[in-house]
Amino acid sequence: GAGYDSIDVEAATERGMMVCNTPTYCTDEVADHAIALLMACLRHVPRLDRGLRRGDHTMTIIDHTRRLAGSTLGIIGFGRIGKRVAQRMRGWDLRIIAWDPYVRPEQARAAGAELMSLDEVLSAADFVSIHCPLTAETHHLIGRRELALLKPSAILVNDARGPVVDEAALIDALREGRLWAAGLDVFETEPLPAESPLLSLENVVLTPHAAAYSPESRADVYALICEIGIDVAQGRVPRFVVNPEVLG
């Protein structure tokens, strides 16, 4: 897949082994899923659906939504997927800001976003969507201090990797009203344990690490895996090598 956090890359590098991934296979799906989670939170789609199925036709909960246009979207991690989210959302009349230490300001501007520091993005955004890989650098990137920077009216979306967010701190913020809502496709422990407090919170929309999936993305990932295997078998360097230092 796109992520490689389940592989000990350092150990592979020490043994001269290439680690390859397939970072292009689900860009559209993950970007679309992040937007779907955001809209589900903003418009209370799951809660309204559950209420209607119970025979509750009242819509008082919708009083607690707001207009998307004119808001600010913050994107954490401005790689392929983050850029695709920005591209998708440009037509919604949003201000788009982003944090990524590996992206230059002119690259962000070309993709329709203003590059800022992490603290600036968290403080200014009405909605935050996470799209960075899980590394030692990004583990618990969004912790108690960072969550405290968010507006109480903010929505946090994560369909990247669960441990990028301190889940216990997130649960506390949601319970205490310091964060309005969260849309989550990934968790610190997967599958999500049956006793997780997230399952009892009404201001959370949950999906089971499903963002990357579609028949098209499945075909794409298999094709890329075969391409990498063929390259290696024929003595070529594959397109996507995570640890290029082994090539010497």
Side-chain angles (χ1 to χ4, degrees):
Y4 47 87
D5 46 279
S6 60
I7 298 171
D8 189 337
V9 177
E10 185 178 346
T13 303
E14 288 172 358
R15 290 159 178 76
M17 299 167 63
M18 283 188 295
V19 176
C20 299
N21 67 336
T22 56
T24 60
Y25 89 96
C26 60
T27 301
D28 287 329
E29 284 79 5
V30 177
D32 292 348
H33 200 89
I35 296 167
L37 288 171
L38 171 59
M39 296 304 297
C41 290
L42 182 66
R43 301 299 304 177
H44 303 291
V45 173
R47 295 173 72 179
L48 289 168
D49 176 82
R50 289 194 297 268
L52 192 61
R53 292 172 190 274
R54 293 193 304 266
D56 180 2
H57 293 260
T58 62
M59 294 189 294
T60 53
I61 191 175
I62 212 68
D63 292 337
H64 300 286
T65 188
R66 57 193 184 280
R67 184 173 291 168
L68 185 66
S71 300
T72 297
L73 170 65
I75 300 175
I76 307 299
F78 208 58
R80 288 181 179 86
I81 296 170
K83 287 186 176 73
R84 192 61 55 88
V85 170
Q87 179 187 49
R88 296 274 204 270
M89 297 299 285
R90 275 204 299 256
W92 295 68
D93 257 349
L94 287 165
R95 177 192 181 201
I96 300 175
I97 57 179
W99 172 82
D100 192 314
Y102 301 102
V103 171
R104 296 191 303 274
E106 61 271 20
Q107 292 175 314
R109 282 195 298 271
E114 180 184 353
L115 208 60
M116 293 183 168
S117 71
L118 179 60
D119 285 4
E120 287 171 332
V121 169
L122 294 173
S123 299
D126 297 295
F127 318 116
V128 173
S129 194
I130 297 173
H131 299 290
C132 56
L134 176 60
T135 65
E137 182 183 15
T138 62
H139 183 269
H140 283 191
L141 177 72
I142 308 299
R144 292 186 186 276
R145 188 192 74 84
E146 290 74 23
L147 289 166
L149 295 174
L150 290 167
K151 302 173 183 178
S153 58
I155 296 173
L156 179 72
V157 171
N158 185 12
D159 65 355
R161 285 292 186 270
V164 172
V165 178
D166 181 339
E167 198 168 284
L170 175 63
I171 289 167
D172 287 345
L174 289 162
R175 278 175 167 167
E176 296 165 11
R178 291 182 285 109
L179 182 63
W180 195 52
L184 306 173
D185 183 56
V186 290
F187 313 97
E188 291 218 55
T189 301
E190 295 181 359
L192 186 65
E195 65 276 11
S196 171
L198 289 170
L199 293 166
S200 62
L201 294 174
E202 283 285 359
N203 54 344
V204 181
V205 177
L206 306 171
T207 55
H209 204 148
Y213 290 98
S214 74
E216 294 88 350
S217 72
R218 188 175 297 112
D220 288 346
V221 73
Y222 291 154
L224 283 168
I225 290 167
C226 290
E227 179 187 310
I228 290 167
I230 291 166
D231 282 341
V232 172
Q234 296 189 354
R236 296 189 295 268
V237 176
R239 276 197 289 164
F240 305 116
V241 181
V242 171
N243 55 343
E245 56 269 36
V246 303
L247 298 176

